[in-house]
Amino acid sequence: MSFFAQHQPWRLLGVALPFGLLLGLQPAACGGQEPDSTEPARSTLPTPTANSRPEVPNGYFLFPIKPGQQNFLAASMGELRPNHFHGGLDIKTDGRVDLPVHASQDGYISRLKQSSFGYGNVLYITHPNGLTTVYGHLNHFKGPVAEELRRRQYEKQTYELELFFKPGQFPVKRGDIVALSGNTGGSAGPHVHWEVRDQQDNQLNPLQWGGFQEIQDHVAPSLQAFAVEALSIDARVQNRFGKAVFVPKTPPLLNGGGYVWADTIAANGTVGLLVQGFDRFDQAWNKNGFQKVDVLVNGQPLYSHVVDNIPFPEAPAR
């Protein structure tokens, strides 16, 4: 998104935030998903900043559903939810359950949970570099870990159960089938919720490491409206205190270059910039949120909002 000074048009480029998100809002300021475990905090290390990025080579992770074939996302990283940013990818499963779910990389099954809520049946694989991949809303677990779950369920006489495992107890190799996809927990339709977490349980965007051939995106985002809002008592937009909403009427610039608002927008004081719109992936009908926004003033970078790292909320004290 580019902002030019008075007497020049506003040019909107690289729009990447959905549904009226105020620029400047950081992921940590938004309420996250409810804690999905009773496990104590695993690390006392300081939380990385939103711009931190683990060193992961491109192609390190295998796409967990139909690897090597074109696939689609029901939801992307960073989409707005009622009280949090979406902390992973929702992968479509052809509208059905029981597709094979593959381990994204070598490691060991460090945790699983069978539940009627939240992530539903969920599996965690910890990898040698310290990252953990999470596979949610599963229908069934596969392999020796499924037998261990069944044994422990009979032992404790309960269906809903969460188990933690030590390194080497249930090792897996990249590509192993570790589960079958499902529609369990708080799922609104068959899919697999897939995410990557670091050792502090920050949720990381898997697509930031070079992307995957399974997910293609050559469709430019669509801007529905933008707004400028006065944020301080002495601020004014178009000589008024409040929020002015603008709906671009001109078509997008060529080659996905963005949108242009051809008139001057007079603003002074501390103001906020909001955008509303959506994005789509190739050959997909559903609307996805935007994951990145860049703000330029007179062609110079002013602000960049990238939702690639979302702190996961800690479990409440007991």
Side-chain angles (χ1 to χ4, degrees), residues 39 42 111 197-203 310-312:
E39 181 188 22
R42 294 180 295 164
R111 172 179 164 196
R197 296 190 192 179
D198 64 16
Q199 295 182 22
Q200 290 78 33
D201 256 354
N202 293 296
Q203 298 169 295
I310 300 174
F312 199 86

Side-chain angles (χ1 to χ4, degrees), residues 150-165:
R150 187 178 302 109
R151 184 185 71 80
R152 297 284 290 275
Q153 286 174 322
Y154 277 105
E155 177 184 290
K156 296 182 177 295
Q157 297 185 18
T158 179
Y159 170 83
E160 301 206 354
L161 192 63
E162 184 175 22
L163 301 176
F164 298 89
F165 305 111

Side-chain angles (χ1 to χ4, degrees), residues 102-288:
H102 299 265
S104 293
Q105 185 51 266
D106 295 355
Y108 71 97
I109 298 174
S110 54
R111 172 179 164 196
L112 64 77
K113 185 176 183 179
Q114 187 144 319
S115 172
S116 303
F117 304 95
Y119 286 82
N121 301 337
V122 57
L123 183 79
Y124 299 73
I125 299 177
T126 297
H127 306 287
N129 60 5
L131 296 180
T132 296
T133 47
V134 182
Y135 313 77
H137 308 302
L138 305 172
N139 202 23
H140 299 289
F141 303 107
K142 300 291 286 184
V145 74
E147 299 173 7
E148 175 66 10
L149 171 65
R150 187 178 302 109
R151 184 185 71 80
R152 297 284 290 275
Q153 286 174 322
Y154 277 105
E155 177 184 290
K156 296 182 177 295
Q157 297 185 18
T158 179
Y159 170 83
E160 301 206 354
L161 192 63
E162 184 175 22
L163 301 176
F164 298 89
F165 305 111
K166 297 179 180 179
Q169 192 171 357
F170 293 106
V172 295
K173 288 292 187 180
R174 174 187 170 103
D176 284 353
I177 297 176
V178 294
L180 298 180
S181 67
N183 187 29
T184 58
S187 173
H191 75 283
V192 169
H193 175 86
W194 184 50
E195 62 186 62
V196 178
R197 296 190 192 179
D198 64 16
Q199 295 182 22
Q200 290 78 33
D201 256 354
N202 293 296
Q203 298 169 295
L204 310 176
N205 183 11
L207 296 183
Q208 66 184 291
W209 295 297
F212 298 88
Q213 63 175 343
E214 293 84 357
I215 303 299
Q216 296 293 318
D217 182 10
H218 301 91
V219 181
S222 296
L223 177 68
Q224 296 169 303
F226 70 96
V228 183
E229 181 176 13
L231 298 180
S232 62
I233 192 65
D234 60 343
R236 297 293 183 270
V237 179
Q238 302 288 65
N239 298 317
R240 299 181 61 185
F241 180 81
K243 177 166 56 180
V245 179
F246 306 90
V247 179
K249 297 180 180 179
T250 55
L253 299 179
L254 296 176
N255 300 320
Y259 294 77
V260 168
W261 185 259
D263 299 325
T264 297
I265 299 174
N268 62 278
T270 303
V271 300
L273 184 61
L274 303 93
V275 294
Q276 182 180 28
F278 60 89
D279 196 10
R280 282 193 171 106
F281 292 91
D282 290 4
Q283 302 178 38
W285 62 267
N286 58 292
K287 298 177 181 179
N288 294 104

